[in-house]
Amino acid sequence: MTLIKSISGIRGTVGGCPGDNLTPLDVVKFVSAYATWLKKKVGKEKTRIVLGRDARISGDMYAKLVSATLSGLGHDVIDIGLSTTPTTEIAVVAERADGGIILTASHNPKQWNALKLLDNRGEFLSDKDGKQVLAIVEKEEFKYAEVDDLGDIVEKDYTQYHINKVLNLKLVNEEAIAKANLRVVVDAVNSVGGVVIPRLLKALGVNSVIELNCEPTGHFAHNPEPIPENLTQIVEKMKECQANIGIVVDPDVDRLALISENGEMFGEEYTLVAVADYVLKHTPGNTVSNLSSSRALKDVTEKYGQQYNAAAVGEVNVVAKMKETNAVIGGEGNGGVIYPDIHYGRDALVGVGLFLSHYVAEDKSMTELKKTYPQYFISKNKITLTSGMDVDKILEGLKMKYSNEEVTDIDGVKIDFADGWVHLRKSNTEPIIRIYSEARNENAANALANEVILEVQGMV
């Protein structure tokens, strides 16, 4: 059982002992620290905070606990209930709230939950702000409100509001989507995506929506990370229904994976690549992704004569680089699309609207569309951290070993070779070192990864 504290929030497994897992006591302490920080940040005695959650089994319990804690501190709560991460981000801005809390452990299995923290722009906290929250947690500098000063709790639903925002985007062409007469299978892994994605598709004019694992029970039908080995069920359903497209989202609906008509993965990396292709066709500008994302985005960006920039892994880092470079589209290679015209956050609803608009305009099958992009293969590996492993020492050793190559160290170590790259970094969400490698084919990507893994094992 595990508890991970980071600048973006607190993540852990449910149950067990305080300080070791995500227990109710840990939730109260961390929420108290965040609200205390927020009060100082905005200079108000009573702030307004939006609260949303995915459909995890522990979500309802923790949501009540968070609301009560915030009220006990004297803050007002807008509880938007079952809602996606991007919906909660949008609601913060719509409510002119001072901050937001999302209860979700994203792609982690059902025994996990987490608190993700937002500022008044509906964006994740900066490194500086996150560290200030963590410092307050350690000192337990909390002061609760007296009885006449308790905060109010109101309930609202922002799902349709979010859908309408997507429909109103200039590049989302619902008329063309409706005319295409698409058949789409949706796997929402028994979380909130099962509520919102079918509604969005029907609003876009998709008449044939086949729902798979769309009941928001929190009992995930499979491992919720939308990667090939977890998606055998939708592949079979695609073949059975002769669908055009398969859509897969993670429990909090900020990642979008697509399945081609033949049951093959379109590739999480290529969600952003395809959406960026569409956006750049209509809106020239720069792009951004993180260091662990495919070179294909850089290739597509340069095809349009625009500039690509890489950021450290993490949504907050990608957003900062997008603002710095005035990027018109960006995101992460895990299926996370960030489109500033709606908000600065990964958003699978936006991804669906833009991708389907692109897909029907191109008038190609999914497999044909995929072939129009530079073909790369990413190998995703990990090493579980054990006691005594000095990650910093390992990364420093790799920098020295590969000093003749192009090395980037803004986030772990990325080694760029002429024909591929390897990126190693300590995960913010799990006790592992992530090792991603990319090359023109699977064998070459695996060979690059294995070479570096052997080097790491020799240093332990």
Side-chain angles (χ1 to χ4, degrees), residues 163-182:
I163 289 171
N164 290 343
K165 293 275 283 186
V166 174
L167 296 177
N168 289 332
L169 288 170
K170 186 187 298 185
L171 293 186
V172 171
N173 191 342
E174 63 224 71
E175 183 179 343
I177 294 168
K179 285 181 180 177
N181 197 27
L182 301 177

Side-chain angles (χ1 to χ4, degrees), residues 110-130:
K110 68 177 182 179
Q111 67 268 29
W112 288 78
N113 212 330
L115 296 158
K116 292 184 178 181
L117 310 176
L118 305 174
D119 61 19
N120 64 350
R121 298 168 300 185
E123 298 170 17
F124 291 120
L125 302 192
S126 67
D127 179 78
K128 177 183 175 183
D129 290 340

Side-chain angles (χ1 to χ4, degrees), residues 321-392:
K321 182 61 75 172
M322 288 179 69
K323 290 179 177 179
E324 176 190 327
T325 60
N326 295 314
V328 296
I329 186 72
E332 299 187 291
N334 58 11
V337 174
I338 302 174
Y339 188 46
D341 275 20
I342 186 167
H343 70 123
Y344 278 105
R346 292 181 302 176
D347 191 329
L349 282 76
V350 172
V352 168
L354 292 175
F355 180 83
L356 290 183
S357 299
H358 178 47
Y359 172 76
V360 298
E362 291 294 307
D363 195 26
K364 296 180 174 71
S365 69
M366 291 286 281
T367 50
E368 289 170 340
L369 182 61
K370 176 73 177 289
K371 288 176 184 176
T372 66
Y373 298 119
Q375 299 301 299
Y376 293 101
F377 183 89
I378 287 187
S379 176
K380 298 184 178 182
N381 301 275
K382 59 187 177 183
I383 296 176
T384 301
L385 295 177
T386 58
S387 59
M389 285 183 71
D390 188 335
V391 177
D392 292 336

Side-chain angles (χ1 to χ4, degrees), residues 51-53 58-68 77 79 103:
L51 172 63
R53 67 176 180 90
S58 59
D60 181 56
M61 172 192 73
Y62 281 148
K64 290 171 180 172
L65 193 58
V66 171
S67 291
V77 181
D79 184 350
L103 281 162

Side-chain angles (χ1 to χ4, degrees), residues 12 24 54 58 106 108 123 215 235 242 263 310 327 338 380:
D54 69 15
S58 59
S106 192
N108 289 101
E123 298 170 17
E215 307 83 4
V235 167
Q242 296 184 319
I338 302 174
K380 298 184 178 182

Side-chain angles (χ1 to χ4, degrees), residues 152-332:
D152 295 327
I153 301 171
V154 297
E155 295 181 356
K156 294 189 178 183
D157 187 344
Y158 264 89
T159 296
Q160 192 59 47
Y161 179 88
H162 189 179
I163 289 171
N164 290 343
K165 293 275 283 186
V166 174
L167 296 177
N168 289 332
L169 288 170
K170 186 187 298 185
L171 293 186
V172 171
N173 191 342
E174 63 224 71
E175 183 179 343
I177 294 168
K179 285 181 180 177
N181 197 27
L182 301 177
R183 179 173 294 171
V184 180
V185 180
V186 178
D187 183 350
V189 71
N190 304 108
S191 191
V192 68
V195 177
V196 67
I197 296 298
R199 277 177 65 178
L200 171 66
L201 289 171
K202 288 164 187 173
L204 287 167
V206 179
N207 293 321
S208 182
V209 179
I210 299 99
E211 299 182 16
L212 185 65
N213 306 320
C214 284
E215 307 83 4
T217 63
H219 293 280
F220 302 147
H222 54 78
N223 185 305
E225 186 164 14
I227 54 178
E229 53 263 40
N230 299 332
L231 302 178
T232 56
Q233 190 180 11
I234 189 173
V235 167
E236 291 305 312
K237 181 63 75 172
M238 290 279 298
K239 295 174 183 175
E240 175 191 324
C241 298
Q242 296 184 319
N244 304 102
I245 301 172
I247 289 176
V248 183
V249 292
D250 61 341
D252 68 326
V253 200
D254 60 358
R255 293 170 60 177
L256 171 63
L258 301 165
I259 315 288
S260 297
E261 79 286 348
N262 60 359
E264 292 182 1
M265 297 293 296
F266 190 76
E268 270 194 301
E269 294 289 335
Y270 286 86
T271 300
L272 175 58
V273 173
V275 169
D277 182 26
Y278 179 60
V279 170
L280 291 170
K281 257 178 196 161
H282 299 277
T283 321
N286 299 327
T287 68
V288 174
S289 65
N290 67 38
L291 288 170
S292 283
S293 298
S294 176
R295 276 185 184 174
L297 179 61
K298 182 175 185 287
D299 294 347
V300 168
T301 303
E302 291 176 349
K303 179 185 79 172
Y304 288 100
Q306 306 302 313
Q307 183 177 347
Y308 164 82
N309 290 279
V313 173
E315 185 172 314
V316 66
N317 300 313
V318 174
V319 166
K321 182 61 75 172
M322 288 179 69
K323 290 179 177 179
E324 176 190 327
T325 60
N326 295 314
V328 296
I329 186 72
E332 299 187 291

